[in-house]
Amino acid sequence: MSRLRIYDDSRADALATFDTHADIARELGRVGVRFEQWQANQPIAPGASQDEVIAAYRGDIDRLMREEGYRAVDVISLKPDHPERAALRKKFLDEHTHSEDEVRFFVAGSGLFTLHVDGKVYEVECVKDDLIAVPDRTTHWFDMGEEPSFVAIRFFTEPDGWVGHFTGTDIARKFPRYEPGT
């Protein structure tokens, strides 16, 4: 189940928790973050190819690309036994920004996006069927957990726009790391 916890950025005890899509979308919308749920238009078999995954969501993908001007999509898939999982996890655990929106649609599995906006921390657990669009220059971090398990469609405007620009703060270490199911 999707979940949003909101914290004051100076304390790691939640001010509010939301677990319905409508409530999460409303709260994230207040800080400019898009949160949607999509359904596949055809079954997706485990181990489906990138083309098969994209075909299953083609209508929503085309709509979002048209609305926001994204130019490319791809599919990333990580399993708990991936040999580089620790390095991949560490890559975006610290607070950073991007020069373009960071947009992810979770086809399967889950991950934790944590946003730092206007003195608040928004911890968003994204699960299957969730789309999150974090606006460019929004400070955030992402945790896929120690044993990542997800398939996600990624949207891009420019190939180099997804490079992380780290803030140098330690705020991400002051909040819980991702443990699916907690």
Side-chain angles (χ1 to χ4, degrees):
M1 175 186 320
S2 311
R3 183 191 65 230
L4 168 64
R5 290 182 182 150
I6 302 174
Y7 303 87
D8 182 277
D9 67 2
S10 64
R11 299 182 8 217
D13 52 316
L15 300 171
T17 301
F18 302 93
D19 59 12
T20 67
H21 172 72
D23 290 341
I24 295 168
R26 181 191 67 242
E27 293 300 317
L28 291 176
R30 291 179 176 164
V31 293
V33 174
R34 182 180 206 145
F35 187 77
E36 298 178 356
Q37 289 188 319
W38 294 357
Q39 296 296 313
N41 61 23
Q42 62 193 41
I44 303 172
S49 71
Q50 174 171 287
D51 289 342
E52 291 168 325
V53 170
I54 290 171
Y57 295 96
R58 177 52 68 194
D60 283 315
I61 289 170
D62 289 348
R63 174 185 54 83
L64 189 59
M65 291 178 79
R66 195 173 43 254
E67 289 174 4
E68 301 297 333
Y70 304 125
R71 294 193 217 158
V73 296
D74 72 5
V75 175
I76 183 170
S77 178
L78 287 176
K79 296 180 181 178
D81 63 352
H82 191 288
E84 296 177 33
R85 68 185 177 275
L88 290 168
R89 180 185 190 205
K90 186 176 183 208
K91 190 172 184 180
F92 294 106
L93 275 179
D94 288 328
E95 185 182 62
H96 61 279
T97 64
H98 299 285
S99 60
E100 68 176 53
D101 300 350
E102 182 166 356
V103 184
R104 302 293 178 265
F105 172 72
F106 285 80
V107 174
S110 62
L112 189 70
F113 277 90
T114 307
L115 319 171
H116 186 200
V117 181
D118 296 330
K120 298 268 189 294
V121 170
Y122 297 79
E123 178 192 87
V124 188
E125 181 176 15
C126 295
V127 299
K128 181 183 183 308
D129 298 332
D130 287 346
L131 173 115
I132 188 167
V134 179
D136 67 341
R137 294 172 184 52
T138 300
T139 53
H140 67 283
W141 55 95
F142 176 71
D143 190 356
M144 62 183 81
E146 289 183 6
E147 295 182 352
S149 180
F150 67 89
V151 177
I153 299 173
R154 304 184 297 182
F155 291 76
F156 302 97
T157 303
E158 299 293 335
D160 60 353
W162 193 58
V163 173
H165 305 281
F166 292 87
T167 65
T169 71
D170 67 349
I171 189 166
R173 288 178 229 128
K174 296 177 182 179
F175 289 86
R177 293 295 186 203
Y178 187 42
E179 295 181 35
T182 62

